[in-house]
């Protein structure tokens, strides 16, 4: 298959930051190494710090994991020579004019056809200003295309997100804006659609006649680490639920699109999000529970509680865990609960989806004297990548006994090494102009409106029992009670 080699200059705002170093530079390296970037590309790092091109290129070289540098055909020096640094003040118009001059020179040198990606990998308070100045100073006025990539958080509630959106929309049209949700770049999240829509055995069962409930878990073992300042304002609800969890839910719940174009897929996701049952501030507690980790044992190490962390209020009311029950009020899903659960400092790091099918109308077989186990389809998103189907089969010689078996598909280790990282996929998609795996404003708006009711309820009624789960556990007992009420339980992951 012929690989497309997009030509463009990538301008990274926040080029001295963590995201650029940990994710973006290594992803650009992999694209280069895998032949997806031709020699016609340039990266301009922009940040306040006064660095030279040489300093910057040294940072870039240091950010590439050694285990990836096994290809003698790729010379790290040649790769790094595509990187340039431009010290920058986001509020100073002269900075933009100088940047524009530099981009003009680089366009000629690297034959990038005046195609530009502006990647905002920095604190969100300047997103609006940067977008406005890029346009007013003519940086988007080129013969080629211009695209804006925006990292989360996209606002902190519906109102702030709307305001931010209006600011950037003055300078960029919706189809030039690429809002990142890195979960959409994960191989197995992209596979949700393939599993559903490319297998005749699942789609007929994918509804309230055959599915009892769907569980989406994204648990982490790490705590908030040095991100206390950000996390105090965000909490797990804004950090994980508004974006990653609701995006996975939309992909699981949406109707089949009429074709695989970004517009058609988005329109089905939006419909699913619109069908989510809204809550009122007074009944949020019937659907959502929150938690905050206390001290405990994480991976064999004693660790402190959230409130003892850096830049965290010792009486903080911020949640580090959320579990919720969502209902989708449409013909396909009426009556089927979607349970979500996410938290920090839990016992394992894993993202998994469990689809639990309904029980058979009567039990002819038993498993250890009990009813047989329901069929489950488990989609392993991370760290394992694969699918497991839980079935029941006969145990030799035991007439009425069945035993649970698993059909597993895991990507092999070799595949894993070659599996592109989420950011690599998303950067390449953006270079090709494919916005399928980015979030449209309509999805962002609906997600914030849903989440805002929960934040409002939790602001109004502060948690009285925080911290309410031990580090190294699977969250507070209220999370289990949420499913008990419906006669279900969380499947172990
Ligand atoms: C980020 C959150 O969006 O996702 C982090 O801000 C979280 O708090 C991370 O740790 C989880 O991503 P992943 O890919 O490790 O599951």
């Amino acid at each position: 298959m012929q690989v497309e080699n997009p030509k463009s200059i990538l301008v990274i705002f926040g080029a001295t930051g963590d995201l650029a170093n940990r994710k973006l530079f290594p992803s650009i390296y992999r694209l280069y190494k895998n032949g997806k970037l031709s020699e016609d590309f340039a990266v301009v790092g922009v940040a306040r710090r006064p660095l030279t091109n040489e300093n910057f290129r040294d940072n870039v070289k240091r950010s590439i994991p050694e285990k990836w540098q096994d290809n003698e055909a790729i010379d790290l020096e040649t790769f790094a020579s595509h990187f340039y640094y431009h010290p920058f003040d986001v509020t100073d118009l002269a900075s933009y004019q100088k940047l524009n001059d530099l981009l003009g020179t680089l366009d000629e040198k690297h034959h990038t056809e005046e195609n530009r990606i502006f990647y905002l990998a920095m604190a969100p308070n300047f997103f609006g200003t940067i977008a406005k100045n890029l346009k007013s100073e003519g940086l988007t006025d080129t013969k080629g295309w211009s695209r804006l990539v925006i990292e989360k958080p996209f606002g902190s509630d519906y109102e702030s997100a709307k305001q931010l959106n209006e600011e950037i929309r003055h300078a960029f049209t919706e189809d030039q804006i690429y809002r990142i949700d890195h979960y959409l770049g994960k191989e197995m999240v992209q596979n949700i659609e393939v599993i559903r829509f490319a297998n005749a055995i699942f789609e007929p069962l994918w509804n309230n006649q055959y599915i009892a409930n769907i569980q989406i878990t994204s648990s982490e073992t790490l705590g908030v680490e040095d991100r206390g300042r950000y996390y105090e304002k965000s909490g797990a609800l804004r950090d994980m639920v508004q974006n990653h969890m609701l995006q996975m839910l939309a992909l699981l719940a949406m109707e089949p699109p009429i074709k695989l174009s970004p517009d058609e897929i988005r329109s089905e996701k939006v419909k699913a999000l619109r069908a989510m049952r809204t809550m009122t501030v007074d009944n949020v507690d019937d659907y959502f529970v929150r938690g905050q980790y206390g001290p405990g044992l994480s991976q064999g190490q004693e660790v402190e509680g959230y409130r003892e962390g850096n830049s965290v209020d010792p009486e903080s009311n911020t949640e580090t865990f959320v579990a919720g029950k969502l209902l989708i009020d449409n013909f396909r899903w009426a009556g089927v609960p979607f349970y979500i659960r996410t938290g920090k400092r839990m016992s394992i790091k894993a993202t998994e989806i469990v689809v639990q099918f309904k029980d058979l109308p009567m039990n002819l077989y038993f498993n250890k004297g009990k009813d047989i186990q329901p069929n489950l389809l488990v989609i392993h998103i991370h760290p394992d990548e694969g699918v497991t189907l839980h079935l029941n089969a006969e145990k030799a010689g035991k007439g009425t006994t069945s035993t649970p078996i698993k059909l597993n598909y895991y990507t092999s280790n070799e595949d894993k090494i070659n599996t592109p990282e989420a950011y690599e996929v998303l950067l390449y998609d953006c270079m090709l102009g494919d916005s399928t795996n980015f979030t449209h404003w309509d999805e962002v708006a609906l997600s914030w409106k849903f989440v805002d009711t929960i934040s409002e309820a939790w602001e109004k009624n502060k948690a009285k029992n925080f911290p309410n789960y031990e580090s190294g556990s699977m969250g507070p007992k209220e999370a289990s009670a949420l499913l008990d009420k419906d006669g279900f339980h969380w499947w172990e992951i």
Side-chain angles (χ1 to χ4, degrees), residues 223-224 291-295 304-307 320 344-345 467 469-471:
V224 170
Q292 186 190 75
Y293 63 82
E304 56 187 15
Y306 174 69
R307 290 180 174 183
T320 59
K344 301 259 182 215
R345 275 282 169 69
Y469 71 99
E470 255 180 53
S471 284

Side-chain angles (χ1 to χ4, degrees), residues 413-426:
N413 267 344
E414 198 175 316
D415 283 348
K416 254 190 201 164
I417 297 168
N418 293 323
T419 304
E421 286 236 18
Y423 275 94
E424 190 183 331
V425 173
L426 296 175

Side-chain angles (χ1 to χ4, degrees), residues 23 151-152 181-183 186 218-220 222-224 227 230-231 234-235 238-240 243-244 342 344 349-351 381-382 422-423:
K23 300 288 183 189
E151 270 296 328
K152 66 177 271 256
D181 182 316
H182 78 279
Y183 268 54
K186 290 184 192 264
S218 189
S219 63
E220 296 185 71
L222 285 182
V224 170
R227 295 166 75 211
Y230 153 77
Y231 204 83
S234 127
R238 294 185 174 95
D239 189 47
M240 292 289 293
N243 36 65
H244 312 319
T342 181
K344 301 259 182 215
K349 164 90 182 152
T351 300
I381 310 261
H382 182 86
Y423 275 94

Side-chain angles (χ1 to χ4, degrees), residues 79-293:
F79 169 71
S81 70
H82 289 262
F83 285 70
Y84 300 82
Y85 186 78
H86 182 71
F88 195 74
D89 175 352
V90 288
T91 55
D92 174 20
L93 293 183
S95 273
Y96 292 81
Q97 289 146 14
K98 282 192 208 131
L99 175 61
N100 204 11
D101 294 343
L102 173 64
L103 298 183
T105 318
L106 295 181
D107 267 326
E108 279 187 25
K109 182 166 172 195
H110 292 280
H111 319 108
T112 40
E113 299 175 355
E114 299 190 27
N115 293 329
R116 295 171 182 183
I117 297 178
F118 301 99
Y119 195 124
L120 309 188
M122 51 180 299
N125 23 349
F126 288 112
F127 286 175
T129 315
I130 296 175
K132 188 173 103 215
N133 293 344
L134 285 174
K135 180 169 167 106
S136 73
E137 300 318 300
L139 281 86
T140 55
D141 187 14
T142 65
K143 288 205 290 278
W145 44 256
S146 299
R147 296 180 184 141
L148 182 74
V149 182
I150 294 223
E151 270 296 328
K152 66 177 271 256
F154 197 88
S156 54
D157 56 15
Y158 172 67
E159 280 309 322
S160 57
K162 186 164 153 249
Q163 192 187 338
L164 169 59
N165 200 49
E166 278 163 10
E167 283 170 16
I168 58 175
R169 286 292 300 272
H170 280 308
F172 291 85
T173 57
E174 178 64 32
D175 60 5
Q176 290 179 298
I177 302 172
Y178 290 69
R179 297 179 195 80
I180 293 253
D181 182 316
H182 78 279
Y183 268 54
L184 297 181
K186 290 184 192 264
E187 183 93 350
M188 287 309 295
V189 171
Q190 299 191 349
N191 246 302
I192 296 173
E193 281 173 77
V194 187
I195 292 167
R196 286 191 57 193
F197 304 134
N199 290 296
I201 58 168
F202 292 127
E203 196 46 32
L205 305 183
W206 210 262
N207 56 51
N208 53 8
Q209 286 191 49
Y210 296 100
I211 291 182
N213 71 77
I214 296 187
Q215 307 181 4
I216 311 172
T217 300
S218 189
S219 63
E220 296 185 71
T221 47
L222 285 182
V224 170
E225 315 304 303
D226 51 5
R227 295 166 75 211
R229 198 185 302 269
Y230 153 77
Y231 204 83
E232 273 286 88
K233 295 211 194 78
S234 127
L237 187 66
R238 294 185 174 95
D239 189 47
M240 292 289 293
V241 176
Q242 181 270 335
N243 36 65
H244 312 319
M245 303 303 280
L246 291 186
Q247 281 295 322
M248 287 191 280
L249 177 129
L251 291 169
L252 288 161
M254 73 187 208
E255 293 299 314
I258 54 169
K259 58 178 186 243
L260 292 176
S261 69
D263 284 349
E264 296 302 340
I265 294 176
R266 170 182 322 129
S267 130
E268 296 306 337
K269 281 166 74 187
V270 165
K271 266 199 265 169
L273 293 171
R274 276 207 337 246
M276 288 190 299
R277 184 177 301 175
T278 49
M279 295 164 286
T280 62
V281 169
D282 295 325
N283 71 5
V284 161
D285 286 349
D286 296 339
Y287 294 93
F288 271 79
V289 302
R290 56 188 147 163
Q292 186 190 75
Y293 63 82

Side-chain angles (χ1 to χ4, degrees), residues 47-92:
R48 284 178 78 133
R49 236 174 271 174
L51 296 184
T52 61
N53 282 345
E54 285 319 307
N55 302 144
F56 183 54
R57 288 172 187 171
D58 286 342
N59 290 350
V60 171
K61 285 185 272 181
R62 267 196 301 272
S63 75
I64 314 299
E66 261 176 37
K67 59 178 183 210
W68 290 358
Q69 299 174 29
D70 54 355
N71 186 340
E72 282 167 16
I74 302 290
D75 173 27
L76 205 52
E77 292 301 327
T78 316
F79 169 71
S81 70
H82 289 262
F83 285 70
Y84 300 82
Y85 186 78
H86 182 71
F88 195 74
D89 175 352
V90 288
T91 55
D92 174 20

